[in-house]
Amino acid sequence: MTEVSTRVDLALLGIRVDVPVQRRSGAGPSDDGHVLFGGAGAAIPLRPESPYTIRADRLLYEGTDLGVTVEPVRRPRFYDLRTADGVAYEQIARLHGKDVLATTVVQTCIRYGEDQRCRFCSVEASLASGSTIAVKRPDQLAEVAEAAVRLDGIRQLVMTTGTSAGKDRGARHLARCVRAVKQAVPTLPIQVQCEPPGDLATLSELRDAGADAIGIHVESLDDRVRARWMPGKSTVPLSDYRAAWAEAVRVFGRNQVSTYLLVGLGEDPDELVSGAAELITMGVYPFVVPFRPLAGTLAVDVDGAIPPTAAVLEDVTRRVAAELRRADMLGTDQKAGCAACGACSVLQTAGG
C-alpha cells in the first residue's frame, strides 16, 4: 500500500488509539485525534473499531508494522492557563495539527436552524457541551495567541466564524480579532474564514487588519448538492462566491485564498476535479477533504450518511494534487490556514 493509500485509509477508517490532542464536535472535520504522519500534521478520526493502531510511534494494520512513523501530538502547555476572568485558554483557541492555533470567534450561526443548517456541521454542539465560549473577544485571543507562540512554538493561526446576520456575515469581528492578535504577536501569520461578505470591500478591511490569507468555503460547486446539504448557505449564489474569490485573490494574492471541497456529498468526481481546476486557474486553492459524517449532525442523526469510498477519495485527491503541481500552487506555500496546515486532507501527502 502506498503512503497516499494509507493516508486515505486512515482518513476514512480512523485509528484505534488515545492521543493527548483531540477535537470533539465543531464546524468542520472533527471527532479526531492529532498526530504526526511521517512528520506532517494529520487529523485522524478516533475509531475503536479501526484496524489501525499505533505502537512505539509506528503505524500498525491489524498488528502488522507498516513502516510509517505516526507520533501523537503532545498536549500544548498553553492549555494549562486561564485568563484573568477564569476562562480556560483551550476554550478560546485550540491546537490543530502540529503547530496551528485555531478558533471559532463566534460559535453560533444564523443558519443553525434545522431547516437551514449545513447537514455535516455541529458548530454549536461544542458550545452546548461547554468546551468553548460563544464569543471570543479580541483581547482574549491576543492573550492566548501570545502564550501559544511563546510556550508551544505555534506558527500560524486560523480564525473562522459562524455566520452573523449582518451584511458583513461576521467578517468585521474577525478583523477586530486579527488586529488585536497582530498587535500582540506581529509575526504570527493568520488566516480568516467567512462567507462572501455582502460588501466585497470588507475583504480589504480584513487584509488591512493584518490577515495574511483567507478561506471562503463553498464545500461544493454543484447547486443540486448545495441545496441538499447546505440549504441555508446555498441561498448565497455561486456567482457571489466567484466574485468574492476573485476579489480575495486581488487583495491577498494568488494561492493565499482557499475553499473547502468535500468529497462524498454526491457530486460527480469528474465534475469536482474540473471545478477544482477552475479554482486553481483563478488562484484559489481547492482544499479537498473527505466528507466524514459526525455524530450529532443531521447527516448522521437524520440521513444515515456514509463517507466516500477510498477509491473515490484517492482518485479525486491525486488528480487535484496533480493540477496543483502543474500550476505550482502548493498548500505549503500558503502563509496560513487549512491548506497550509493540511492535517484534515490527504492533498499534501499526494504532493499538493
Side-chain angles (χ1 to χ4, degrees):
M1 182 180 285
T2 68
E3 189 176 71
V4 173
S5 299
T6 301
R7 182 68 180 83
V8 165
D9 237 19
L10 284 170
L12 298 175
L13 299 179
I15 196 165
R16 180 167 33 94
V17 70
D18 186 29
V19 294
V21 179
Q22 304 181 16
R23 184 162 75 116
R24 300 291 183 181
S25 300
S30 57
D31 287 351
D32 49 29
H34 294 259
V35 300
L36 302 180
F37 179 86
I44 307 295
L46 300 176
R47 302 269 170 78
E49 73 279 8
S50 173
Y52 289 95
T53 190
I54 301 172
R55 186 171 64 213
D57 293 345
R58 302 283 285 187
L59 183 66
L60 277 61
Y61 179 83
E62 294 184 343
T64 301
D65 190 331
L66 298 179
V68 177
T69 300
V70 177
E71 179 185 355
V73 172
R74 291 179 298 178
R75 186 178 187 276
R77 287 182 288 176
F78 79 86
Y79 276 16
D80 297 326
L81 303 178
R82 289 180 174 269
T83 63
D85 51 353
V87 181
Y89 277 18
E90 65 177 310
Q91 289 183 292
I92 296 168
R94 303 191 62 124
L95 176 66
H96 280 212
K98 180 169 60 173
D99 52 17
V100 181
L101 188 65
T103 184
T104 303
V105 299
V106 176
Q107 201 76 36
T108 57
C109 182
I110 60 164
R111 308 195 192 285
Y112 208 64
E114 190 163 329
D115 62 337
Q116 294 289 301
R117 187 188 315 175
C118 298
R119 303 186 76 81
F120 44 77
C121 180
S122 60
V123 65
E124 294 189 14
S126 50
L127 179 60
S129 71
S131 62
T132 189
I133 57 175
V135 179
K136 287 75 172 180
R137 299 195 313 265
D139 63 295
Q140 290 175 321
L141 285 167
E143 181 179 339
V144 174
E146 187 282 327
V149 170
R150 174 169 43 85
L151 297 174
D152 298 290
I154 289 295
R155 295 188 177 182
Q156 56 164 302
L157 170 60
V158 178
M159 291 185 185
T160 189
T161 184
T163 300
S164 74
K167 187 178 180 182
D168 66 303
R169 296 193 168 119
R172 289 204 165 94
H173 183 61
L174 280 169
R176 289 190 290 271
C177 292
V178 170
R179 192 171 291 111
V181 171
K182 284 289 188 173
Q183 288 174 352
V185 198
T187 60
L188 181 64
I190 300 174
Q191 187 203 46
V192 290
Q193 300 177 354
C194 60
E195 286 191 29
D199 181 357
L200 293 183
T202 307
L203 298 174
S204 292
E205 291 181 36
L206 287 164
R207 183 72 183 95
D208 292 343
D212 300 278
I214 189 169
I216 303 174
H217 297 162
V218 72
E219 283 83 32
S220 174
L221 294 167
D222 182 318
D223 274 326
R224 176 186 57 84
V225 171
R226 296 181 71 224
R228 164 75 179 85
W229 287 96
M230 298 156 276
K233 196 171 176 180
S234 67
T235 61
V236 180
L238 285 175
S239 58
D240 284 11
Y241 276 88
R242 290 191 172 92
W245 289 325
E247 176 63 6
V249 170
R250 186 191 72 80
V251 170
F252 288 89
R254 180 178 181 271
N255 199 29
Q256 300 305 324
V257 182
S258 60
T259 192
Y260 265 73
L261 293 180
L262 296 183
V263 181
L265 296 182
E267 189 167 350
D268 178 85
D270 291 338
E271 292 182 5
L272 196 159
V273 173
S274 176
E278 174 196 346
L279 290 164
I280 293 166
T281 299
M282 292 179 66
V284 177
Y285 187 104
F287 192 57
V288 173
V289 174
F291 162 58
R292 300 203 313 246
L294 303 177
T297 63
L298 297 176
V300 170
D301 297 348
V302 177
D303 304 329
I306 59 174
T309 65
V312 167
L313 178 59
E314 182 168 350
D315 171 61
V316 168
T317 301
R318 285 187 181 276
R319 284 197 280 163
V320 173
E323 294 283 353
L324 287 163
R325 288 195 302 274
R326 273 193 286 273
D328 191 25
M329 208 166 94
L330 304 183
T332 51
D333 292 331
Q334 294 216 352
K335 295 174 184 175
C338 292
C341 170
C344 294
S345 174
V346 188
L347 271 176
Q348 285 194 17
T349 307

